[in-house]
């Protein structure tokens, strides 16, 4: 099923290139890899590969017909959460956003995929425009790091915090 999801992703998005110059499907692969490292189940890995496919030529009904209701529901909810604009001006707003994510998620795997997506985004923040880098770093420290901690993903929480301060994964591995 994972191979089937990979083939589906590549065939649906093979002509799409990200602003960084890499193929679109590399990001979902990295997201799935983060989750595989955390030993999440096969359905979660499949949903991670397909988490934003509906923005790239495959609607939720196509995902449902090929992969079933559970994966379709996870990908649909994950995509909705990832497209919510985040304003983290205050701690209260950050708390409200995290609570909203829990309320929106009938399946906790949605939150794991969302965290992995945002972690990959932080790891590749240099590929984004400078004005977005600051917004993304603020969300990482205000929303994603505390959510990762609450979900038991301590290593990812620490990486969110480190990356939000340095913005450079290489600098994390090679401190002064």
């Amino acid at each position: 099923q994972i191979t089937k999801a990979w083939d589906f992703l590549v065939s649906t998005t093979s002509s799409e290139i990200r602003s960084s110059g890499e193929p679109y499907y590399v990001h979902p692969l990295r997201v799935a890899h983060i989750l595989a490292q955390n030993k999440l189940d096969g359905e979660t890995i499949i949903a991670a590969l397909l988490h934003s496919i509906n923005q790239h030529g495959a609607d939720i009904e196509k995902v449902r017909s090929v992969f079933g209701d559970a994966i379709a529901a996870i990908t649909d909810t994950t995509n909705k959460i990832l497209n919510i604009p985040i304003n983290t001006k205050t701690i209260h707003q950050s708390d409200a956003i995290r609570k909203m994510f829990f309320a929106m998620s009938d399946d906790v795997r949605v939150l794991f995929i969302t965290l992995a997506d945002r972690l990959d985004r932080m790891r590749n923040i240099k590929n984004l425009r400078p004005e977005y880098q600051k917004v993304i770093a603020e969300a990482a420290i205000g929303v994603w790091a505390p959510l990762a901690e609450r979900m038991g993903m301590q290593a990812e929480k620490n990486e969110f915090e480190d990356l939000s301060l340095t913005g450079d994964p290489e600098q994390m591995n090679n401190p002064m």
Side-chain angles (χ1 to χ4, degrees), residues 13-149:
T13 64
S14 63
S15 63
E16 297 188 41
I17 304 295
R18 292 187 176 274
S19 59
S20 65
E22 69 186 10
Y24 166 78
Y25 53 78
V26 173
H27 165 71
L29 178 62
R30 290 190 307 245
V31 171
H33 183 256
I34 291 167
L35 297 168
Q37 288 178 312
N38 280 285
K39 298 180 178 23
L40 277 111
D41 66 300
E43 280 189 340
T44 307
I45 304 303
I46 292 166
L49 288 169
L50 305 175
H51 75 275
S52 60
I53 194 118
N54 65 334
Q55 298 172 355
H56 302 279
D59 66 16
I60 198 67
E61 292 310 317
K62 177 69 174 172
V63 173
R64 182 173 279 107
S65 71
V66 176
F67 297 99
D69 290 336
I71 290 171
I74 293 168
T75 57
D76 188 44
T77 306
T78 301
N79 192 48
K80 288 176 183 171
I81 287 175
L82 290 172
N83 286 305
I84 294 172
I86 294 179
N87 180 359
T88 58
K89 298 289 185 216
T90 68
I91 291 174
H92 177 70
Q93 287 171 322
S94 296
D95 288 341
I97 290 167
R98 287 191 301 275
K99 287 176 185 173
M100 178 182 60
F101 291 159
F102 277 102
M104 288 179 68
S105 305
D106 292 337
D107 190 327
V108 72
R109 296 176 292 184
V110 167
L111 298 176
F112 284 115
I113 296 168
T114 302
L115 283 167
D117 176 272
R118 293 309 180 206
L119 182 57
D120 183 64
R121 182 178 256 197
M122 283 299 298
R123 288 176 176 172
N124 295 284
I125 199 166
K126 295 289 186 199
N127 295 327
L128 302 173
R129 294 193 310 244
E131 62 270 19
Y132 292 128
Q133 290 180 15
K134 184 175 190 283
V135 171
I136 291 166
E138 287 172 355
I141 202 75
V143 176
W144 306 116
L147 183 60
E149 182 174 44

